[in-house]
């Protein structure tokens, strides 16, 4: 049980990456007020958590419905996690997240500018002016914060793999879900102090932490692949013997 708890915490913490997500969130909300940043952080973590919880509870049934075995998913999930780890070690994931943040921010500015131009008309209706003020600072809690920055493919895969490891043990499943809630709470805390965390760590320290966590994730991904491949080989041998 302790081994599962440690594995779940390391995997989810590395994949969701609260330390690396905080500066991205700070850049995404740099034009928002403190109250708006806090509100969007809470909503984003809540939505991302619900998505991950849905896959944790119903993901195995979904795999069964489409005819994919858990062992095959372990191999595929391990490969995906290894790719994520590779990106982390060579800082490709950071660059990709930065592009997502910049794209969302550019869309935010474009929507706000279009609405403000429409409202500048002398004959603009009051509801148009209200729409302009609403779009001046777009809500980014669902996209891109909740999806894909928090509940991305790697986090969904990790959550499903960890819950399948728990098997039918409800205590183990509750432990995994508790670890998920803990990581999400840490993520929320990091988002709420994103500005101070950026100043405290600096870009160099954040890059070092990301690389170290990437190496740990690569090892966990390799273990997922080995476990799934071994089970598939044993299943093939068993069927051949039968």
């Amino acid at each position: 049980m302790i081994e599962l708890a440690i594995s779940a915490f390391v995997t989810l913490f590395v994949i969701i990456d609260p330390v690396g997500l905080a500066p991205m969130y700070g850049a995404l909300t740099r034009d928002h007020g403190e109250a708006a940043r806090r509100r969007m952080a809470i909503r984003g973590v809540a939505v991302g958590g619900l998505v991950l919880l849905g896959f944790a509870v119903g993901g195995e049934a979904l795999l069964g419905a489409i005819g994919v075995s858990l062992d095959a998913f372990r191999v595929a999930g391990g490969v995906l996690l290894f790719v994520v780890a590779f990106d982390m070690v060579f800082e490709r994931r950071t660059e990709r997240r930065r592009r997502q943040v910049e794209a969302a921010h550019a869309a935010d500015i474009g929507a706000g500018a279009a609405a403000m131009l429409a409202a500048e008309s002398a004959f603009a209706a009051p509801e148009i002016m209200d729409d302009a003020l609403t779009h001046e600072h777009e809500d980014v809690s669902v996209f891109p914060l909740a999806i894909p920055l928090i509940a991305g493919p790697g986090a969904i895969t990790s959550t499903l793999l960890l819950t399948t490891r728990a098997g039918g043990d409800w205590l183990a499943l509750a432990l995994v879900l508790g670890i998920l809630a803990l990581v999400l709470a840490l993520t929320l805390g990091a988002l709420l102090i994103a500005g101070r965390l950026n100043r405290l760590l600096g870009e160099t320290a954040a890059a070092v932490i990301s690389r170290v966590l990437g190496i740990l994730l690569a090892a966990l991904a390799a273990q997922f692949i080995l476990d799934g491949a071994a089970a598939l080989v044993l299943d093939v041998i068993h069927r051949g013997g039968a």
Side-chain angles (χ1 to χ4, degrees):
M1 196 70 71
I2 295 178
E3 179 183 353
L4 177 61
I6 295 175
S7 176
F9 179 78
V10 172
T11 301
L12 292 173
F13 187 86
V14 169
I15 283 294
I16 297 176
D17 190 15
V19 177
L21 186 58
M24 300 297 173
Y25 180 71
L28 185 63
T29 59
R30 59 181 177 268
D31 294 330
H32 294 75
E34 183 64 30
R37 286 198 298 268
R38 182 169 58 253
R39 184 172 59 253
M40 286 188 292
I42 294 173
R43 186 182 296 120
V45 171
V47 172
L50 287 175
V51 171
L52 295 177
L53 179 62
F55 276 92
V57 175
E60 189 171 349
L62 176 62
L63 289 180
I66 62 177
V68 176
S69 70
L70 292 178
D71 294 324
F73 187 84
R74 286 190 181 95
V75 174
V79 172
L80 175 60
L81 294 181
F82 191 84
V83 171
V84 173
F86 184 87
D87 288 348
M88 289 180 64
V89 172
F90 293 97
E91 289 196 324
R92 295 184 180 181
R93 187 171 69 153
T94 300
E95 180 62 28
R96 183 167 59 250
R97 278 184 167 180
R98 184 176 292 111
R99 287 197 300 268
Q100 291 172 338
V101 167
E102 291 173 351
H105 187 67
D108 179 18
I109 293 176
M116 290 301 292
L117 286 173
E120 284 178 357
S121 170
F123 301 99
E127 59 270 18
I128 297 179
M129 180 63 75
D130 292 339
D131 184 66
L133 295 175
T134 300
H135 285 86
E136 184 175 0
H137 297 302
E138 194 72 26
D139 189 332
V140 298
S141 56
V142 176
F143 174 82
L145 180 57
I147 303 170
L149 295 183
I150 294 177
I156 292 173
T157 301
S158 300
T159 302
L160 186 50
L161 287 174
L162 289 168
T163 53
T164 55
R165 281 184 61 184
D169 189 341
W170 286 101
L171 182 60
L173 178 60
L175 176 63
V176 171
L177 295 180
I179 294 296
L180 174 61
L182 173 61
V183 173
L184 289 174
L186 293 175
T187 302
L188 177 59
L191 296 181
L192 293 177
I193 61 171
R196 282 173 288 176
L197 191 63
N198 287 348
R199 292 190 294 271
L200 177 64
L201 289 178
E203 292 188 5
T204 302
V208 171
I209 293 173
S210 179
R211 282 182 166 87
V212 172
L213 293 177
I215 294 172
L216 291 176
L217 180 61
L220 289 170
Q223 189 62 55
F224 280 133
I225 294 172
L226 290 174
D227 290 344
L232 288 173
V233 170
L234 289 176
D235 183 59
V236 170
I237 294 175
H238 176 73
R239 290 181 180 180

